[in-house]
């Protein structure tokens, strides 16, 4: 391999060198989709209202897909591109690249579907869902940080920072309700 083809090496004591764009996209989509699903799970569970897990699951999925499409579209529109054919191709790619937002919401959707099938109560589903999503936020942050070159200690701290968002939703849910 010649010098131009070699990848830069990360300093073992410092932050990563030139983190990959794909890792950043995965992290954004994963964190955004998980936070969105957590907020919807908390908001859709209203004390005294009938628990409708299938309805709630559909809203989490529709909202995640809509948010992903809106995010991809806004990124596309913010950039200026050449020919019309090229713009359509770039729009399709921008929309396709938002799949991590939708995938990140799927654990919450699946939890709600299972809750509907087995008759699980709303309090339990919300508690488990918010806890699961907080753990997923930790995982998203830690794994993506490792993937882009952070050392284990730093990656775990990044994971904890992401999990703090989930904890904030749990606290907000407890305070508001």
């Amino acid at each position: 391999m010649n010098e131009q083809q070699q990848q830069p090496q990360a300093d073992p004591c410092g932050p990563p060198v030139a983190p990959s764009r794909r890792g950043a996209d995965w992290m954004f989509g994963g964190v955004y989709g998980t936070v969105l699903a957590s907020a919807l799970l908390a908001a859709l569970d209203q004390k005294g209202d009938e628990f409708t897990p299938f309805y709630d699951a559909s809203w989490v999925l529709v909202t995640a897909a809509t948010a992903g499409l809106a995010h991809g579209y806004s990124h596309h529109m913010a950039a200026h591109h050449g020919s019309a054919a090229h713009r359509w191709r770039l729009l399709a790619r921008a929309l396709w690249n938002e799949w991590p937002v939708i995938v990140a919401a799927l654990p919450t959707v699946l939890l709600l579907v299972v809750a509907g099938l087995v008759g699980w109560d709303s309090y339990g589903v919300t508690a488990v869902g918010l806890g699961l999503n907080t753990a997923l936020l930790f995982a998203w942050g830690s794994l993506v940080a490792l993937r882009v070159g952070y050392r284990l200690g730093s990656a775990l701290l990044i994971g904890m920072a992401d999990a703090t968002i989930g904890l904030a939703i749990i606290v907000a849910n407890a305070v508001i309700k």
Side-chain angles (χ1 to χ4, degrees):
M1 208 166 21
N2 66 35
E3 281 185 39
Q4 290 178 335
Q5 292 175 332
Q6 290 179 349
Q7 296 293 322
Q9 297 296 314
D11 175 1
C13 297
V17 175
S20 74
R21 174 75 176 132
R22 179 166 298 225
D25 288 344
W26 278 32
M27 184 171 181
F28 170 81
V31 169
Y32 186 78
T34 305
V35 168
L36 182 66
S38 294
L40 285 166
L41 181 63
L44 289 169
D45 176 34
Q46 296 295 318
K47 194 174 259 180
D49 285 352
E50 181 182 345
F51 182 46
T52 56
F54 298 117
Y55 173 84
D56 293 353
S58 65
W59 270 112
V60 171
L61 189 58
V62 166
T63 303
T66 305
L69 291 173
H71 185 259
Y73 181 73
S74 64
H75 269 247
H76 173 74
M77 293 305 292
H80 298 285
H81 304 291
S83 71
H86 185 65
R87 279 188 295 242
W88 283 108
R89 198 169 46 249
L90 290 175
L91 174 60
R93 184 179 301 142
L95 296 176
W96 174 253
N97 286 337
E98 296 302 321
W99 67 266
V101 175
I102 299 164
V103 170
L106 289 180
T108 302
V109 171
L110 292 175
L111 178 67
L112 287 163
V113 168
V114 168
L117 293 173
V118 301
W120 201 359
D121 68 293
S122 67
Y123 177 79
V125 173
T126 302
V128 168
L130 293 178
L132 171 66
N133 286 345
T134 299
L136 288 171
L137 286 167
F138 175 79
W140 275 115
S142 298
L143 293 175
V144 172
L146 285 171
R147 184 167 185 248
V148 299
Y150 281 92
R151 295 184 63 178
L152 181 60
S154 297
L156 294 175
L157 288 173
I158 290 168
M160 286 302 298
D162 286 358
T164 302
I165 299 167
L167 293 173
I169 292 171
I170 292 170
V171 168
N173 187 49
V175 169
I176 292 170
K177 292 182 179 172

